[in-house]
Amino acid sequence: MKTKQMISSSKRINNTISMLGNDRIHNIARLNEKAFTRNRQMTIQDILMINLARKGKTLSMEINNYFKDAAKREDRVSKQAFSKQRMNLNPEVFVILNNEYIQSIYNSSDHKTLNGYIITAIDGTVMEIPDTSELRKTFDCEKTENGIDHCAARARTSTIYDVMNNIVIDAQINKYTASEKELGLRNILNMVNLLPDEKVMIIFDRGYVSAELMLILTELQITFLCRVPKGRYEKEKKIMQSNDESIIFELDKNRKRRLSKEVLEQAGNPKELNLRMTKVLLETGETECLISNIPFTDFTSDEMGSLYFERWKIETAYDIAKNKLKIENFSGRKQITIEQEFYAHILLLNMIEDLK
């Protein structure tokens, strides 16, 4: 493992901004070889910066403000010209810029951990997008209660979030009808590729817990902590002799029936999982049950409840993205522009939190 060095957030941000002018990023940003090759008033770097610097205002105001701040008023282009050019911009460029930004954070020695773990949480949310017939077809829509009246275009997003460093490690935007669990698994696999040498823990709310998820995480050697829904795993709860102990989680025929054949084969078709189950008393007097593979030596029984509630910081991140960065104020009306603005906003959110 290479030695980590201290890198300031301002240096990371400046490095990323400077990358917007290099040929490698420009090649990634082009959807075709001929895009952005002619000399124009608005360069590919301008298009990248306008997307990255958006403040949730109208597109005309965003363009005006950018060329004013860049002291390039004489080069200002119309909203129509910008909209036409951005159709050649690959949204993946912001994903790659964000990935490289994230790696620079964790290659630095100043990121926070807890007992040696990068503590993350996964959660999804529904985002409003422009309600056009095209986007209703592309992203599906949220139907009204009676299912007959007009339905509104919506997108489903999923994020894996570092709750100690306030960093979005991976974000996905997809159809409203997409499976939250499948998007969460995509978050996990992307994180593993980004941070292969890091010791990571993932905290899940009760909607994610399943035998398949725990088997996958065990196979990936990822530490996890899940909130158990009421009425689930009652057999394991009843055999507990204390509020925090190891349990044998049997993978019987009924549970294996719900597991994918591929996951079972990759895991060697195990008969059981040895997990940790912890009962936590809430301030309301209710008892919550947590299931994990956290070693008893890493976190005590008393620490498990506080550890789980670190998950709520991802809710705060969504609130910042929606209500302060105005991520839902999409200026485009196409799938490609929705993805451009979404992934640009994720990078912007990370840079702001890093600077803070």
Side-chain angles (χ1 to χ4, degrees):
M1 186 182 296
K2 61 183 178 180
T3 303
K4 296 185 177 183
Q5 299 177 339
M6 182 78 77
I7 303 173
S8 68
S9 57
S10 59
K11 184 175 181 180
R12 278 194 287 268
I13 291 171
N14 288 333
N15 287 343
T16 299
I17 297 302
S18 67
M19 287 168 60
L20 301 184
N22 73 40
D23 290 340
R24 179 179 67 90
I25 293 300
H26 291 179
N27 288 334
I28 295 169
R30 293 186 179 96
L31 277 175
N32 61 74
E33 292 181 0
K34 295 182 179 180
F36 311 114
T37 54
R38 291 171 54 191
N39 290 328
R40 297 178 181 271
Q41 285 179 293
M42 181 176 57
T43 66
I44 186 171
Q45 190 170 352
D46 291 327
I47 297 174
L48 290 168
M49 278 299 299
I50 292 171
N51 274 284
L52 190 57
R54 288 186 64 252
K55 300 179 179 66
K57 299 179 180 179
T58 65
L59 184 54
S60 293
M61 291 182 68
E62 300 284 6
I63 294 170
N64 281 336
N65 290 342
Y66 168 74
F67 283 99
K68 176 183 175 182
D69 293 342
K72 297 170 62 175
R73 287 186 178 182
E74 69 280 1
D75 294 331
R76 184 197 175 277
V77 299
S78 67
K79 178 177 74 172
Q80 290 76 15
F82 174 80
S83 297
K84 182 179 179 180
Q85 284 296 95
R86 74 188 298 196
M87 295 306 293
N88 297 310
L89 183 67
N90 185 357
E92 188 70 14
V93 68
F94 295 110
V95 177
I96 290 171
L97 285 166
N98 192 50
N99 287 347
E100 294 183 7
Y101 191 86
I102 289 164
Q103 287 174 323
S104 72
I105 290 175
Y106 294 105
N107 286 336
S108 175
S109 59
D110 61 337
H111 67 272
K112 300 174 186 175
T113 59
L114 185 61
N115 293 0
Y117 289 95
I118 294 171
I119 307 295
T120 69
I122 283 185
D123 201 8
T125 189
V126 173
M127 285 195 175
E128 295 184 13
I129 58 177
D131 188 27
T132 67
S133 59
E134 181 177 337
L135 291 180
R136 285 196 293 273
K137 291 177 182 177
T138 304
F139 284 95
D140 294 333
C141 58
E142 185 177 31
K143 291 183 171 58
T144 55
E145 289 185 6
N146 59 24
I148 300 173
D149 299 334
H150 172 78
C151 63
R154 294 288 186 269
R156 186 170 301 281
T157 67
S158 181
T159 297
I160 185 163
Y161 184 71
D162 180 340
V163 300
M164 305 296 296
N165 298 287
N166 302 323
I167 295 297
V168 177
I169 297 176
D170 185 70
Q172 302 288 323
I173 185 167
N174 210 298
K175 291 184 175 184
Y176 171 74
T177 49
S179 164
E180 201 166 60
K181 290 182 179 180
E182 289 181 8
L183 293 179
L185 181 57
R186 197 177 300 173
N187 290 142
I188 294 167
L189 295 176
N190 287 344
M191 179 194 68
V192 170
N193 288 330
L194 272 178
L195 310 175
D197 300 322
E198 301 294 341
K199 186 179 179 182
V200 180
M201 180 189 298
I202 307 175
I203 305 174
F204 297 89
D205 199 10
R206 56 191 170 190
Y208 288 87
V209 64
S210 68
E212 185 163 38
L213 174 68
M214 293 187 288
L215 193 57
I216 290 171
L217 293 173
T218 300
E219 189 66 16
L220 290 172
Q221 298 183 328
I222 293 176
T223 305
F224 62 85
L225 175 62
C226 302
R227 181 182 176 188
V228 179
K230 294 188 184 303
R232 295 281 300 279
Y233 309 131
E234 293 299 319
K235 176 183 174 182
E236 285 76 16
K237 293 177 188 176
K238 289 177 181 178
I239 63 174
M240 291 180 70
Q241 301 297 311
S242 67
N243 287 332
D244 190 18
E245 60 185 75
S246 293
I247 62 164
I248 299 299
F249 187 86
E250 293 183 11
L251 296 176
D252 54 26
K253 289 183 179 180
N254 185 45
R255 285 174 175 166
K256 283 188 175 182
R257 182 169 49 85
R258 299 169 186 167
L259 300 177
S260 70
K261 184 179 179 181
E262 182 182 4
V263 170
L264 278 172
E265 289 177 351
Q266 287 182 350
N269 198 19
K271 295 181 179 179
E272 60 188 34
L273 289 172
N274 191 356
L275 300 173
R276 177 180 180 180
M277 190 167 272
T278 309
K279 292 180 180 177
V280 177
L281 183 64
L282 305 181
E283 292 181 357
T284 60
E286 294 179 286
T287 299
E288 284 288 353
C289 192
L290 307 174
I291 192 166
S292 71
N293 60 352
I294 300 173
F296 288 86
T297 53
D298 287 356
F299 290 89
T300 66
S301 301
D302 293 336
E303 293 172 324
M304 293 293 281
S306 298
L307 177 61
Y308 174 77
F309 284 104
E310 290 289 334
R311 194 201 74 83
W312 294 106
K313 292 179 182 177
I314 195 172
E315 306 286 353
T316 303
Y318 275 129
D319 179 66
I320 292 171
K322 288 185 175 184
N323 298 314
K324 293 185 178 179
L325 293 187
K326 308 296 182 182
I327 194 171
E328 292 175 300
N329 287 11
F330 293 101
S331 65
R333 298 293 186 269
K334 304 283 186 181
Q335 179 181 356
I336 188 172
T337 59
I338 297 296
E339 292 175 354
Q340 287 168 3
E341 294 179 20
F342 175 78
Y343 291 117
H345 257 105
I346 296 300
L347 174 57
L348 177 62
L349 176 61
N350 280 341
M351 291 196 291
I352 291 171
E353 292 293 351
D354 188 23
L355 191 60
K356 284 167 63 178

